[in-house]
Amino acid sequence: MATLPNPLPQLATDPGGHALGLELPPGRLIDATDDGPWHEPLLWHGEDTAVLGTWASLDIPAGRAGLLPVLIDVGGGQGGPEDWELMPGEMSYAGDHDAEEVLAEFWEEYAADEDATAEDDAEHHPGDYPGKEAVVELFGEARSYDDTVAPFGPHWPGLAPAQPATTDPDTHAAEVADVLISTGAWFKEPRLALVPARRSADIPAALGWTGPLNYEGDTARLCAVLRSWEDRFGIRVLALTFDQLVLSVAAPPTTEADAEAVAAEHFAFCPDNITQGDHENLREYAHNEVLGKEIWSFWWD
């Protein structure tokens, strides 16, 4: 795959981006990685808090220049992206991975790990553990792995069906970005950033983002799933923090069955959303966080 030309170096001598057809506010270029400065900037982000309408005003001209917008939070405990331990050199290409194969592997590896844990517990504590059931602690209550992923089981259930688009995903992303900026409930200090990427789903890997590092070291494998969600649900990568990914969703599922199928994909993608979240099981998560929801958020421990 040919490398996408990176227009960001032009901003070093043209900070307003006029040669690229942009009207940028004051900002900074970030090339810091876990291994030292990268050979070219990984992103640009504004110096000031993102304001309403900025995403919409930059989306089209930035896209023409080969840049895509994303919100980042510089006010968290881990600071801004220059402190995020970015590892672009460790990332593969998202197009080299199949989304369903990636999700199936995650799902079945998790089930196998839980099975092994249950067998080990049964061996060391005979009579105290229920056969092959893997125990998950949620709200102080012991729940089995099978209960957690119901109505599914240890075998990958397959991809959820695509949903009909009722709005343009890019227009929708700009609208949701304004919601996040205006409410102030999601981020402490949101900044609008521009990233050289072919499609929104590729933004995390293009940055070398390592938010899911304890779960998956090659973020491009997760970006392959994001590409599939772009195609089936009209998602856009809306925001990133040190360890959180937020998506806008233009075509969310509208039935309980479809929401549960999508929730299964979320579980394979980021099991911490369920096992360490506010929901006792996948079915409850599907109803509260997926059904008709125009924002999907993921956090990895």
Side-chain angles (χ1 to χ4, degrees), residues 161-164 166 233 250-260 262 290-293:
Q163 299 296 308
T166 58
F233 310 115
T254 57
T255 68
E256 294 281 357
D258 286 349
E260 288 173 3
V262 172
V290 180
L291 182 65
K293 298 300 183 181

Side-chain angles (χ1 to χ4, degrees), residues 74-120:
V74 304
Q78 291 82 12
E82 62 271 23
D83 300 315
W84 285 1
E85 300 175 353
L86 302 178
M87 299 181 184
E90 301 299 315
M91 305 299 155
S92 60
Y93 173 59
D96 290 338
H97 307 285
D98 178 81
E100 182 160 22
E101 290 178 1
V102 170
L103 289 171
E105 179 182 328
F106 284 149
W107 181 277
E108 293 178 359
E109 281 185 354
Y110 192 94
D113 288 344
E114 292 298 306
D115 218 16
T117 299
E119 290 177 358
D120 183 67

Side-chain angles (χ1 to χ4, degrees), residues 213-229:
L213 185 61
N214 291 338
Y215 185 62
E216 171 56 59
D218 183 3
T219 305
R221 281 165 48 82
L222 298 176
C223 289
V225 178
L226 296 179
R227 284 182 167 207
S228 180
W229 289 351

Side-chain angles (χ1 to χ4, degrees), residues 18-118:
H18 304 298
L20 297 174
L22 305 174
E23 294 290 340
L24 296 178
R28 66 174 66 179
L29 294 169
I30 303 296
D31 65 357
T33 77
D34 195 49
D35 295 323
W38 194 239
H39 59 86
E40 59 186 7
L42 296 167
L43 74 153
W44 169 95
H45 75 75
E47 292 282 10
D48 299 323
T49 301
V51 297
L52 298 181
T54 305
W55 180 300
S57 68
L58 285 177
D59 187 18
I60 293 177
R64 290 171 179 160
L67 299 168
L68 296 179
V70 65
L71 293 174
I72 60 170
D73 187 14
V74 304
Q78 291 82 12
E82 62 271 23
D83 300 315
W84 285 1
E85 300 175 353
L86 302 178
M87 299 181 184
E90 301 299 315
M91 305 299 155
S92 60
Y93 173 59
D96 290 338
H97 307 285
D98 178 81
E100 182 160 22
E101 290 178 1
V102 170
L103 289 171
E105 179 182 328
F106 284 149
W107 181 277
E108 293 178 359
E109 281 185 354
Y110 192 94
D113 288 344
E114 292 298 306
D115 218 16
T117 299

Side-chain angles (χ1 to χ4, degrees), residues 148-168:
T148 301
V149 299
F152 307 105
H155 301 295
W156 168 241
L159 294 180
Q163 299 296 308
T166 58
T167 185
D168 175 69

